Amino acid sequence: MSTNETLRAVVAVPLKEEHCRLIERLEPRVELVRDARLTHPMRGPADWSGDPHHTRTAQEQAEFDAMVDSADALFGIPDVDPAALARTVAANPRLRWVMTTAAGGGGQVKAAGLDRGALERVVFTTSAGVHGGPLAEFAVFGVMAGAKDLPRLARQQAERRWTDRWEMRQVDEMTVLVVGLGGIGAECARRFHALGAEVWGTTRSGAPVDAVDRLVPLDDLERAVAEVDAIVVTLPGTDQTHHLIDEKILAAVKPGVILASVGRGSVIDEAALRGALDDGRVSFAALDVFEVEPLPADSPLWRHPNVLVSPHTAALSSKEEERIARRFAENATRLLDGQSMRAVVDTVEFY
C-alpha cells in the first residue's frame, strides 16, 4: 500500500471505545468501523468472545455480517469463531488482513479450514508477545513455588504443624531451561536472569537472545533436560510441537526438576507428566494450560499434591486490551507503509 492510502478496519470483537479512539489516534489513516450493539459484551478483562448468553436478532446478525464483510482488515476474528472467519473470508474478496486477539491465534486460523488461495490473499497476525510479561511472572512464580516447596508449606499450615527446618532451593543457584524463545520465552529468560539463574533456551535459528546464557538446539533437548533444575515451556501449539515434552524427554530429566507451562497445553504429554510427577522425576508442576480445557473434573492433575492448576488465566491483565489495540495500530502503520508486520502467522505450521 502507498502512504496515502487508508485502511477500512472493522472491529469484529468487543473493544472499548477508548481503545478504538487510541487506534485512530495512533494511526489516523485507519477508518475504524465499530458498532457496540453488534458485538457480545465482555464479562471481564480481555473477554474477546463476549457473553455466550448474548444473542443477536436476525436483523442484527445481518448487520454484523455486512459490517465485517466490508473490511479491508479485521480487529479480531468475528466472535472468535473460526467458522465466522471462514464465512467472511469467502464473502469478502477485499479482506487483506486479520489480527487475532489471541497470541496463539494461528490455531484459530487453522480451524477455519481456509484454502491455500485464501491463506495467500489474507495476512494473519496475532497478539504474540503482548502477554509475555504476565506469563513470565507466572513462570517465575511457578518455579519459585517449586523451589520453596509450596505444597509442603500449605499442608503444614493447614495442619498447624511446626516441623523441623529444611533447606529450600535458591533460584540464583539454578539452571532454568526455557523451551521456546519467542516473545513469552524471551520475557521469561529476562526475569530468570535478573534473579540470578543461569538461563538456557531452545532455538531453531541459533540467533543470540538477550539474557540467555546457552542456546540449545531442539535436537539436543533430551540431553539438556538432564542438566537443568527447572523447565519453562512457552511454545505454541502446532503439529510440530505436539507432545514435544513426552515420555522420552521426561525420562531424561534431572530428578526433582520443576516444570512450568505457559504456552499451549498440547506441547506436554499429560499422561507422561503424571507418571513423572508420581515417581518424583518432576518434583512440582505449575500449569496454566492443558491438553483439554477446561481441565476435566476427573483429571488426576486436580488432585495431585505436587501440581498447581491455573485455569488458563495467567495472561489476563486489565492492560491487555490496550496493548492489543496498540499492536493493531502499529501493524496497521506497517501495512500502510509497506513494511513487514509483527507476529505474522505461519500458514503452514499455523503459529
Side-chain angles (χ1 to χ4, degrees):
M1 292 187 174
S2 72
T3 55
N4 296 323
E5 287 190 73
T6 59
L7 185 73
R8 180 179 173 85
V10 170
V11 179
V13 293
L15 183 66
K16 294 183 180 71
E17 181 62 21
E18 65 185 279
H19 298 133
C20 292
R21 291 175 180 169
L22 174 63
I23 292 170
E24 292 172 325
R25 186 168 71 250
L26 292 172
E27 181 41 85
R29 292 172 293 175
V30 169
E31 176 195 354
L32 195 68
V33 180
R34 68 272 196 184
D35 189 337
R37 294 181 306 115
L38 302 179
T39 53
H40 304 310
M42 285 186 175
R43 295 159 295 176
D47 180 25
W48 301 110
S49 56
D51 186 348
H53 300 296
H54 177 267
T55 58
R56 302 184 184 99
T57 65
Q59 176 61 33
E60 288 171 338
Q61 187 63 50
E63 290 180 45
F64 180 75
D65 291 346
M67 182 174 71
V68 298
D69 290 352
S70 73
D72 299 316
L74 291 177
F75 180 100
I77 290 174
D79 296 335
V80 197
D81 180 358
L85 175 63
R87 190 208 62 77
T88 193
V89 168
N92 180 9
R94 67 184 279 177
L95 185 64
R96 293 291 177 267
W97 169 39
V98 177
M99 185 182 109
T100 74
T101 49
Q108 297 167 346
V109 176
K110 182 179 181 180
L114 304 174
D115 62 30
R116 181 48 51 187
L119 292 172
E120 291 175 354
R121 169 169 63 91
V122 182
V123 175
F124 297 94
T125 65
T126 74
S127 63
V130 166
H131 311 86
L135 289 175
E137 285 200 6
F138 181 85
V140 169
F141 164 68
V143 171
M144 293 277 279
K148 307 308 178 186
D149 204 346
L150 178 62
R152 180 175 178 176
L153 291 170
R155 285 193 303 271
Q156 291 185 184
Q157 182 170 347
E159 296 166 1
R160 291 176 290 179
R161 184 163 54 92
W162 185 280
T163 68
D164 291 338
R165 299 166 69 194
W166 79 89
E167 184 180 0
M168 296 178 174
R169 286 192 270 181
Q170 313 302 313
V171 174
D172 65 0
E173 298 172 358
M174 298 173 73
T175 300
V176 178
L177 172 64
V178 180
V179 182
L181 287 174
I184 299 168
E187 288 293 330
C188 290
R190 191 165 65 83
R191 283 162 171 75
F192 281 108
H193 189 269
L195 289 170
E198 181 172 343
V199 179
W200 297 4
T202 62
T203 179
R204 285 183 173 183
S205 67
V209 177
D210 287 346
V212 177
D213 301 296
R214 174 177 165 183
L215 293 171
V216 177
L218 267 177
D219 290 345
D220 291 341
L221 181 60
E222 186 179 353
R223 284 192 291 271
V225 297
E227 301 179 54
V228 301
D229 304 291
I231 301 169
V232 176
V233 182
T234 71
L235 288 170
T238 69
D239 291 342
Q240 287 68 34
T241 64
H242 182 76
H243 284 189
L244 177 69
I245 308 299
D246 59 8
E247 178 59 45
K248 184 178 179 183
I249 295 297
L250 291 169
V253 297
K254 184 177 181 180
V257 73
I258 298 165
L259 179 71
S261 180
V262 294
R264 280 295 179 266
S266 59
V267 179
I268 298 175
D269 179 341
E270 287 180 8
L273 175 60
R274 290 196 301 270
L277 284 159
D278 288 343
D279 67 20
R281 282 172 288 156
V282 175
S283 63
F284 182 80
L287 309 174
D288 185 54
V289 290
F290 301 87
E291 289 194 70
V292 176
E293 295 182 1
L295 184 65
D298 61 355
S299 170
L301 293 173
W302 283 112
R303 301 181 301 278
H304 201 287
N306 294 321
V307 172
L308 180 66
V309 171
S310 167
H312 203 147
T313 196
L316 200 61
S317 163
S318 59
K319 288 291 186 181
E320 178 181 335
E321 298 160 38
E322 179 185 336
R323 292 188 188 109
I324 291 176
R326 288 181 179 276
R327 168 66 65 81
F328 185 83
E330 177 192 358
N331 262 344
T333 298
R334 288 171 176 265
L335 178 63
L336 288 162
D337 290 346
Q339 300 173 350
S340 59
M341 300 170 77
R342 293 185 63 186
V344 174
V345 172
D346 179 321
T347 56
V348 175
E349 298 189 13
F350 289 96
Y351 71 89

